[in-house]
Amino acid sequence: MTIGEALKETRKNLGLSQTEMAYPILTKSYYSKIERGIHEINASDLIKILEMHDIDISEFLTKCGVKDNRIDKEYWGEQLSRAYYDQDLNKVKELELEIPNIKTDNYTKDLLKSMIILNKANLKGSIDTLPNEIKKHVKSLIFKAENWNKENLSLFSISLPLWSDQEMKPIVTSLLKKYINIENFPREMQILVSSIMVNYLSLLIRSSSQNLDLVEDIFILLDNLSVKPLNCFGKIMKNFYRAYFQGDEKKIQDILDFFTNNNMNKISEILRVSI
């Protein structure tokens, strides 16, 4: 049974329409073609759809006879992001123990281990006190690959506090040039690049940096994100930081209230502290 056939069977068992099964992760049109075997589904979107409907991932993969190593890595990454958002240090430690079981190359495992180290340090508030050898290792890992993939971008995004203004600026400048037409890049890359830009803006504010040359270019990039539900956060954060730099306290408060009123108190609390 193919993944598309398994999705169709599972959807019918749940009594869902194609729109109910896939939205807001995929459009009905695209999802329909996956069920019919015309398009493939990437690992991240598959995991999100399965989790959205509380479908056991292992059972689903067994049903369609698929053992895709990317699923393990994608699922692990999703769990790490969720644990960090939930401020769940114990879950991060559990995920650290799973790294040896992820079937990927040693370089990628090293990237994942570094993500764990930085996430634990961020949750403990101790990232500034990491040993210099760890900081150097993280930086060297990021630049080891000629072409940055999702793992490199993810690691860079959470490692920003390790870099000086002088180190970060050329990297961010390079990313702004590469992703100038960001709306044409895959959804996952849009999310990762916008996350880097949002984290960079946050760091500029927290460090009271005067190096604000790239701020307007970052706002333009975030403006150009494709109009998709998963890009909403990047666009909202663009409005938040633009309001901050313009001194618009009412708009800042409106955005903080929006997060609070929609049960996203942790985001609101983090933003209040950051400014």
Side-chain angles (χ1 to χ4, degrees), residues 119-138:
N119 273 284
K120 288 198 298 185
N122 274 317
L123 290 176
K124 293 177 181 178
S126 60
I127 195 162
D128 292 334
T129 61
L130 282 174
N132 285 331
E133 56 267 27
I134 291 180
K135 296 178 182 179
K136 290 178 181 178
H137 181 64
V138 169

Side-chain angles (χ1 to χ4, degrees), residues 105-123:
D105 58 89
N106 289 332
Y107 169 67
T108 301
K109 283 187 178 181
D110 210 355
L111 286 171
L112 302 183
K113 290 175 184 176
S114 294
M115 288 182 200
I116 289 287
I117 290 171
L118 294 181
N119 273 284
K120 288 198 298 185
N122 274 317
L123 290 176

